[in-house]
Amino acid sequence: MRSRTPAGRSLAVLAGALALAGSVTGCGIRTTTVPVNAGDAPSRVPCEVQEGNLTTQAQPGVTVRVYLVCASELTPVERAASLPAEKGNSDPVRVAQALLDELLEQPSDTEREAGFTTYVRGPLLVSEVRAGDPPGTLRLSRQPEDLPTAALAQIVCTLSEGAATDGSVVLGGPGTYEARGYRCDDDTKRSPESAVPTTGPLPSAS
């Protein structure tokens, strides 16, 4: 028997392919190149933590609001901080440290799934004011201007709500530089990577 020529083999392969296509069509199955629409992909609302799902760093305490970064903006998140119930009458340095500790804490699984993150990194401590500091000054263990802009924005917005009432906070560092007033406004919350605005001249210490 003579072997098939290359042309004969090609015709045989083509005939087999046509026969297979015919059998598929005969079974009621039609080939298509149009993608199948399986519906919209599952979606969730970002930057939102379910009510009552609080992250507790240590023992249950009072509910506080801290600002985390989500979708390139600052968004408040409720946390259960280790503070006595009478936090309003507590030492302001202790309150500020508790708030900073919450910012230093990495987001919980629930917060992370919702898109939250924090740019505040430790160590970061709050110390007592110095002689000559304006009233309400909080001294940090790192110079505020040396912190990442987004981290400073988180700190300013968190402390201005948790340790002050006028939307601003006076911060200083460990060095000899004078303390400066920082303000948390809507622009800061919308764009934490931009420079954090400062306040006007600070009142002198009495």
Side-chain angles (χ1 to χ4, degrees):
M1 178 183 294
R2 293 184 299 174
S3 60
R4 293 183 180 180
T5 64
R9 286 196 298 270
S10 298
L11 289 175
V13 172
L14 178 58
L18 291 175
L20 178 61
S23 64
V24 170
T25 303
C27 293
I29 303 175
R30 294 183 300 173
T31 59
T32 178
T33 58
V34 179
V36 177
N37 184 3
D40 296 334
S43 61
R44 58 177 172 76
V45 178
C47 306
E48 183 176 331
V49 178
Q50 292 183 352
E51 184 178 357
N53 192 352
L54 301 181
T55 298
T56 305
Q57 182 173 313
Q59 298 178 354
V62 296
T63 300
V64 297
R65 277 162 49 105
V66 299
Y67 279 89
L68 303 181
V69 178
C70 187
S72 300
E73 295 185 356
L74 292 186
T75 304
V77 172
E78 289 188 346
R79 293 274 185 86
S82 299
L83 283 170
E86 62 278 8
K87 67 169 186 173
N89 298 323
S90 300
D91 181 0
V93 173
R94 181 181 178 184
V95 173
Q97 185 64 63
L99 293 173
L100 283 184
D101 289 343
E102 293 299 329
L103 290 177
L104 289 166
E105 186 78 6
Q106 288 300 307
S108 65
D109 292 341
T110 302
E111 293 168 343
R112 188 167 54 254
E113 290 173 359
F116 288 98
T117 188
T118 181
Y119 288 89
V120 182
R121 298 290 184 268
L124 192 59
L125 303 174
V126 183
S127 62
E128 298 289 343
V129 298
R130 300 176 181 175
D133 279 342
T137 298
L138 296 171
R139 288 274 177 179
L140 305 180
S141 58
R142 296 170 62 187
Q143 194 66 27
E145 295 84 357
D146 294 339
L147 297 171
T149 306
L152 180 59
Q154 285 184 252
I155 293 171
V156 169
C157 289
T158 297
L159 294 183
S160 65
E161 288 193 6
T165 58
D166 61 352
S168 64
V169 63
V170 181
L171 298 176
T176 59
Y177 296 104
E178 293 184 356
R180 300 176 63 182
Y182 295 90
R183 187 175 68 255
C184 176
D185 55 20
D186 291 339
D187 289 337
T188 304
K189 296 175 183 178
R190 283 192 296 264
S191 183
E193 294 289 351
S194 301
V196 181
T198 56
T199 62
L202 297 175
S204 58
S206 56

